[in-house]
Amino acid sequence: MGTLDGRIALITGAGQGIGQGVAFALARDGAAIAVTGRTESKLVDTVEQIRALGGTAEPIVCDIADPAEVTAAVERTVELLGGVDILVNNASFNPLGPLLDLKPAVLEKAYRSGPLSALHAMQLVHPIMKARGGGSIVNMVTSAAVRWDTSGYGGYASTKEALRSLTRTAASEWGVDGIRVNAVAPHALSPGLKWWTETNPDEADAFVKSIPLRRIGDPEQDIGRAVAWIVSDDARYLTGATIPLDGGQARWA
């Protein structure tokens, strides 16, 4: 018996990286997974791997920057799997670079695909979760907002801090409905981070040395397994929190 048997999870950006790792971990614990993202081939590959493990999963193509597609993804999840008990807002567009180079249109895109998209998804699943007796939402944020030096991360961090604020408010307002809402600040070896470490070996070495545990996290074993606990009944009294899964690198107040 898995701790998530009978639960249905919708995960954005689940075709690769951290989203895929979370999908694998939740599926191993018994949850049926709506695997969403923009690239169908990646979604199908993730679904096939989950099914090979004996799990249940469905691929749903969705561009989170388009509210209509987010709505359709939630409706499709209910149609295919029967409801939504767990929502993981993982996908986002992350603008990096100095503030003087940050274009308003780029930051606007980041907010549309980040906190605005996540809020829309949260609003959509709220009545579904409430009708099912409760649920759990996890929003992926970042420790970049509390780095010792946030240079180059201003736009990215601002979108994630907005999402963290929405997380806290939803936890306060929706607890009465049995819905827990938490934020996770991960870093793990996503395709983007892997490319960066291979392209910038000296900087990557310094980066790893700044992590007390001296390694970059694994998407499934270090991030996914923790998320599986957060959304389970074992963490039923946890809500409104930000859980750093960054090997101790950032300093959270």
Side-chain angles (χ1 to χ4, degrees):
M1 295 289 288
T3 58
L4 300 177
D5 283 351
R7 310 284 177 88
I8 300 163
L10 190 164
I11 305 171
T12 68
Q16 62 182 8
I18 290 174
Q20 185 185 62
V22 172
F24 290 158
L26 269 57
R28 289 184 193 278
D29 278 1
I33 313 294
V35 179
T36 76
R38 292 185 301 173
T39 307
E40 186 173 20
S41 60
K42 294 179 180 179
L43 306 182
V44 170
D45 177 65
T46 300
V47 166
E48 289 177 348
Q49 292 187 64
I50 290 173
R51 289 175 178 171
L53 297 171
T56 300
E58 295 288 346
I60 300 174
V61 176
C62 173
D63 180 352
I64 57 166
D66 186 336
E69 291 197 23
V70 174
T71 299
V74 172
E75 292 175 347
R76 187 66 172 154
T77 300
V78 173
E79 177 187 347
L80 292 173
L81 298 174
V84 180
D85 303 295
I86 299 163
L87 170 66
V88 180
N89 284 308
N90 167 69
S92 64
F93 168 69
N94 305 321
L96 300 175
L99 290 182
L100 288 176
D101 296 336
L102 185 60
K103 305 300 183 184
V106 172
L107 189 58
E108 182 180 344
K109 178 182 177 181
Y111 271 86
R112 283 201 312 270
S113 69
L116 293 178
S117 175
L119 176 60
H120 182 47
M122 290 162 64
Q123 291 171 331
L124 290 170
V125 303
H126 174 274
I128 300 170
M129 289 182 174
K130 183 178 179 180
R132 292 169 68 84
S136 183
I137 298 171
V138 172
N139 294 320
M140 294 296 180
V141 295
T142 182
S143 60
V146 294
R147 283 171 57 92
W148 62 95
D149 178 4
T150 58
S151 300
Y153 293 95
Y156 171 45
S158 73
T159 64
K160 293 299 189 178
E161 285 295 275
L163 181 55
R164 206 156 72 95
S165 180
L166 292 172
T167 299
R168 180 68 178 172
T169 302
S172 299
E173 295 180 354
W174 299 352
V176 68
D177 300 318
I179 300 172
R180 298 186 297 109
V181 191
N182 291 288
V184 166
H187 62 59
L189 201 58
S190 64
L193 185 54
K194 182 179 181 181
W195 173 86
W196 180 80
T197 58
E198 292 173 349
T199 306
N200 305 279
D202 292 338
E203 292 179 54
D205 182 63
F207 176 76
V208 171
K209 287 179 179 177
S210 73
I211 302 171
L213 292 182
R214 294 297 191 273
R215 64 182 178 84
I216 297 172
D218 177 80
E220 180 180 356
Q221 297 304 317
D222 294 317
I223 311 303
R225 294 307 314 154
V227 172
W229 174 77
I230 292 167
V231 302
S232 76
D233 290 340
D234 289 338
R236 66 183 186 177
Y237 205 52
L238 178 67
T239 195
T242 297
I243 296 93
L245 297 177
D246 60 3
Q249 184 188 50
R251 178 169 295 185
W252 291 83

